[in-house]
Amino acid sequence: MTEAAPAGTVLLAQRDVYALLDLDSCIAAVDDAFRLHADGRAVPSRVLGVPFDGGGFHLKAAGLVLEEKWFAVKCNGNFFDNAARYGLPNIQGLVLLCDGSNGRPLAVIDSIAITILRTGAATAVAARHLARDDARVAAIVGCGGQGRAQVRAVSRVRPLEQVRAFDADAGVAQRFAREMGTELGIPVEVVTSPADAARRSDICITCTPSRSYFLRREDVRPGTFVAGVGADSETKQELDPELFRDARVVVDSLEQCATIGDLHHALAAGTIAPDGVHAELAELVSGRKAGRTSRDEITLFDSTGIALEDVATAVVLYQRALRTGAGMRLDFGK
């Protein structure tokens, strides 16, 4: 397919990504990617972090073998004072998709929409295996774009009847409640603390840039599914290490989570050992290991966001752009 593709590299802006990729298709692509990974048809993900004053850059790369071979690398700049200082997004970046057979650059894609959608999709895939079938109430801690994607994605796999929302900025939480309540057609309640959100919920998702944990073990009741989404660097932390002692722990990548996820704080605290991690998500998706095994167990998904998800999403976008003519074309060879 890639040999017959039109000349030039496809350029896709953020608006193109949202126009071409619906959340259900993203969930399906991410699910398939983890299954391929379990079958040995993925090039292992690699991560590079480069710190700068006031922020830093994350580079994540991986490959997939489908009918064709695909490679993608994402470079995100994370500067969390941007909005206040410059009126810019705190996170900005690009995904480069290449033909894995010959190295040809196929697409350059805005990474923000990809990151938001595929991260929500990964939580939905995990929730299928780890959330109770009768889970109806979700807590969202962190009500920005990622929080919205998370609740949208989880609502695809569990029939939510209520959402409890907390954000450090009360105005952001109020806006989230109004808009997501209308969109989902269910009550969305603003609460005063992460503890208040978690204690009355079946699913608790954290998606913040916090540098110290705020979700305590005593705030999580039996039977809860917890997804820690925000910790994707050594300096970030959302979850009490004691949670790892008492939960069935699943990770997107054991190597990555042990280095930059909430897991690495739990390992340092001694509340879990590497062999105490139940599974990687690929093992659940492929059926090699079981997900939830009892109604009362706490299940925990440590999501650092692996490049495998970016490749899968970028491939879908590229193929749809070829079919529809979306985006722009640029020949870097001229």
Side-chain angles (χ1 to χ4, degrees):
M1 186 276 298
T2 53
E3 290 181 1
T9 302
V10 178
L11 307 181
L12 297 175
Q14 190 172 130
R15 62 181 177 275
D16 299 315
V17 175
Y18 283 123
L20 290 168
L21 186 66
D22 60 283
L23 189 50
D24 290 319
S25 296
C26 189
I27 292 171
V30 168
D31 188 89
D32 286 344
F34 278 107
R35 187 172 289 104
L36 290 167
H37 177 42
D39 292 340
R41 294 172 62 189
V43 178
S45 300
R46 294 289 182 263
V47 180
L48 174 64
V50 181
F52 268 65
D53 288 342
F57 293 87
H58 282 174
L59 286 83
K60 295 181 177 180
L64 273 177
V65 180
L66 302 170
E67 290 81 4
E68 299 85 26
K69 297 177 182 177
W70 307 90
F71 169 82
V73 59
K74 180 172 72 178
C75 178
N76 272 359
N78 301 276
F79 291 81
F80 290 102
D81 292 331
N82 270 5
R85 295 181 63 186
Y86 307 113
L88 294 172
N90 290 338
I91 303 175
Q92 303 169 93
L94 297 170
V95 173
L96 172 64
L97 178 69
C98 297
D99 188 323
S101 299
N102 55 35
R104 177 175 166 233
L106 300 174
V108 176
I109 310 169
D110 173 84
S111 72
I112 305 309
I114 283 181
T115 301
I116 288 173
L117 290 168
R118 60 79 153 154
T119 305
T123 301
V125 172
R128 280 179 176 153
H129 300 273
L130 297 172
R132 297 195 324 268
D133 290 340
D134 64 350
R136 296 292 184 270
V137 182
I140 302 294
V141 182
C143 297
Q146 187 54 250
R148 291 168 184 254
Q150 291 289 321
V151 73
R152 287 176 182 131
V154 170
S155 72
R156 300 301 206 276
V157 299
R158 289 295 181 268
L160 298 182
E161 296 176 355
Q162 187 174 9
V163 175
R164 295 190 168 96
F166 173 82
D167 194 278
D169 184 328
V172 170
Q174 293 287 350
R175 186 162 58 252
F176 175 95
R178 289 194 305 272
E179 296 174 359
M180 295 309 299
T182 299
E183 178 180 325
L184 298 175
I186 59 176
V188 180
E189 174 191 359
V190 175
V191 297
T192 59
S193 69
D196 189 22
R199 287 173 179 170
R200 298 182 290 139
S201 298
D202 309 311
I203 294 169
C204 183
I205 303 170
T206 61
C207 39
T208 76
S210 177
R211 295 180 179 272
S212 59
Y213 75 81
F214 53 79
L215 187 65
R216 301 171 299 176
R217 167 63 187 90
E218 57 264 34
D219 298 330
V220 179
R221 65 184 184 179
T224 302
F225 165 56
V226 176
V229 174
D232 60 357
S233 73
E234 298 92 335
T235 60
K236 294 182 182 179
Q237 184 182 19
E238 297 182 306
L239 308 180
D240 185 348
E242 290 295 328
L243 263 171
F244 287 79
R245 190 192 303 277
D246 297 333
R248 175 175 289 250
V249 177
V250 174
V251 296
D252 53 10
S253 161
L254 180 56
E255 180 182 4
Q256 191 165 302
C257 289
T259 304
I260 63 174
D262 262 299
L263 174 64
H264 104 275
H265 296 289
L267 292 171
T271 56
I272 192 172
D275 60 4
V277 173
H278 171 63
E280 292 189 323
L281 184 55
E283 295 175 297
L284 268 58
V285 170
S286 65
R288 287 167 170 81
K289 290 189 177 180
R292 173 176 291 276
T293 59
S294 75
R295 177 176 177 79
D296 291 335
E297 73 179 340
I298 296 170
T299 55
L300 190 160
F301 177 50
D302 191 9
S303 173
T304 52
I306 61 176
L308 175 70
E309 301 159 13
D310 299 316
V311 182
T313 308
V315 169
V316 173
L317 284 164
Y318 174 68
Q319 292 175 331
R320 290 184 175 183
L322 291 186
R323 289 199 300 268
T324 64
M328 299 173 58
R329 303 296 187 274
L330 180 63
D331 189 343
F332 286 104
K334 292 184 178 178

